[in-house]
């Protein structure tokens, strides 16, 4: 049965139907599909609905599922929600086995990052920056205790597919507010470096996605920071 995955298109209106955008959940599922060695069709969705015809086509094909990514497998009902899709792919296509018990690694990283980036009150920045740094420190400690290059050995597994796209948002967009992953978190930096050796990661984290992450977060920055950035 055919597999079709709908992912978020680029923030660039001229590329929105040709390149993937800054959605970590979309990259997560694309990594899993590649690690499973599955053949699939990839469709890009313009969540800004600039082209009503294309948006209506997506709504029809997804049967009203609007939370990207959306997976269609044969004649089964379309699925939305990255957790649901990841579990379905693991259960349906059991080889290679990507399951792992390292699911808590970096669990709160993205939420801490988003709070820091969206904060528009300068007086709260130091506290939020510290919380983000501490979360990275916890991840660094976890990685130091684990054998292998990744969260659970020398092969990417489901938790890596979930964490790596979010960690790349921290790395690429954090600089918009002057945040850089501290050098003392050497295990985190090594983890990112090792990830680039894997095609499943490289093929889904392109230069276009990197640029889209920065452009996307520029629009989400706290008001005071966004104003300074535009200047």
């Amino acid at each position: 049965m055919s597999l079709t995955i709908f992912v978020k298109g680029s923030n660039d209106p001229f590329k929105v139907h040709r390149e993937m955008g800054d959605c970590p959940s979309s990259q997560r599922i694309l990594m899993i599909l590649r690690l499973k060695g599955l053949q699939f069709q990839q469709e890009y969705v313009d969540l800004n609905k600039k082209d009503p015809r294309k948006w209506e086509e997506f709504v029809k094909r997804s049967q009203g599922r609007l939370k990207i990514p959306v997976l269609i497998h044969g004649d089964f009902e379309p699925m939305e929600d990255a957790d649901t899709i990841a579990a379905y792919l693991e259960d349906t296509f059991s080889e290679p086995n990507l399951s792992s018990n390292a699911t808590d690694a970096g669990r709160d990283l993205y939420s801490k990052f988003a709070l820091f980036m969206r904060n528009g009150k300068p007086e709260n920045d130091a506290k939020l920056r510290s919380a983000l740094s501490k979360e990275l420190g916890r991840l660094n400690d976890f990685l130091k205790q684990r054998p292998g290059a990744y969260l659970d050995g020398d092969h990417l597994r489901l938790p890596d597919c979930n964490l790596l796209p979010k960690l790349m948002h921290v790395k690429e967009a954090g600089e918009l507010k002057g945040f850089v992953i501290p050098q003392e978190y050497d295990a985190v930096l090594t983890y990112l470096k090792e990830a680039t050796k894997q095609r499943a990661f490289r093929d889904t984290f392109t230069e276009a996605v990197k640029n889209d992450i920065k452009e996307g977060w520029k629009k989400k920055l706290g008001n005071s920071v966004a104003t300074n950035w535009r200047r």
Side-chain angles (χ1 to χ4, degrees), residues 85-98:
I85 295 172
Y88 175 80
L89 291 174
E90 182 64 14
D91 290 342
T92 306
F93 306 98
S94 57
E95 296 297 332
N97 183 353
L98 303 180

Side-chain angles (χ1 to χ4, degrees), residues 61-106:
R61 292 179 64 189
S62 69
Q63 298 179 28
R65 273 76 172 178
L66 305 179
K67 186 178 179 181
I68 298 296
V70 173
L71 179 75
I72 299 178
H73 185 202
D75 295 327
F76 293 121
E77 283 194 15
M79 284 167 276
E80 62 182 357
D81 180 72
D83 288 341
T84 300
I85 295 172
Y88 175 80
L89 291 174
E90 182 64 14
D91 290 342
T92 306
F93 306 98
S94 57
E95 296 297 332
N97 183 353
L98 303 180
S99 63
S100 166
N101 61 2
T103 54
D104 286 340

Side-chain angles (χ1 to χ4, degrees), residues 120-231:
K121 298 180 179 180
E123 63 271 21
N124 294 336
D125 254 13
K127 180 179 179 180
L128 295 172
R129 182 187 295 268
S130 176
L132 172 58
S133 185
K134 286 180 180 178
E135 190 63 29
L136 278 169
R138 282 191 280 271
L139 174 60
N140 195 70
D141 292 341
F142 178 88
L143 288 167
K144 282 187 172 182
Q145 297 169 8
R146 305 293 287 187
Y150 307 111
L151 293 177
D152 193 6
D154 287 323
H155 300 281
L156 292 176
R157 298 186 179 277
L158 293 181
D160 298 290
C161 296
N162 185 28
L163 177 61
L164 280 167
K166 297 174 181 177
L167 192 54
M168 293 309 297
H169 275 242
V170 177
K171 181 178 182 294
E172 298 300 330
E175 65 182 37
L176 298 177
K177 288 191 70 172
F179 185 86
V180 178
I181 298 176
Q183 287 296 317
E184 59 263 34
Y185 295 158
D186 56 326
V188 173
L189 295 172
T190 299
Y191 176 58
L192 289 173
K193 183 178 179 180
E194 290 295 323
T196 63
K197 298 177 181 179
Q198 299 290 331
R199 285 199 61 183
F201 178 78
R202 291 199 311 272
D203 290 351
T204 57
F205 189 77
T206 62
E207 196 66 28
V209 171
K210 183 188 297 187
N211 293 334
D212 213 65
I213 287 173
K214 292 178 180 177
E215 291 302 315
W217 275 105
K218 284 179 188 178
K219 301 174 183 177
K220 301 173 188 174
L221 292 174
N223 291 334
S224 62
V225 182
T227 300
N228 290 335
W229 179 262
R230 284 194 292 268
R231 289 175 184 170

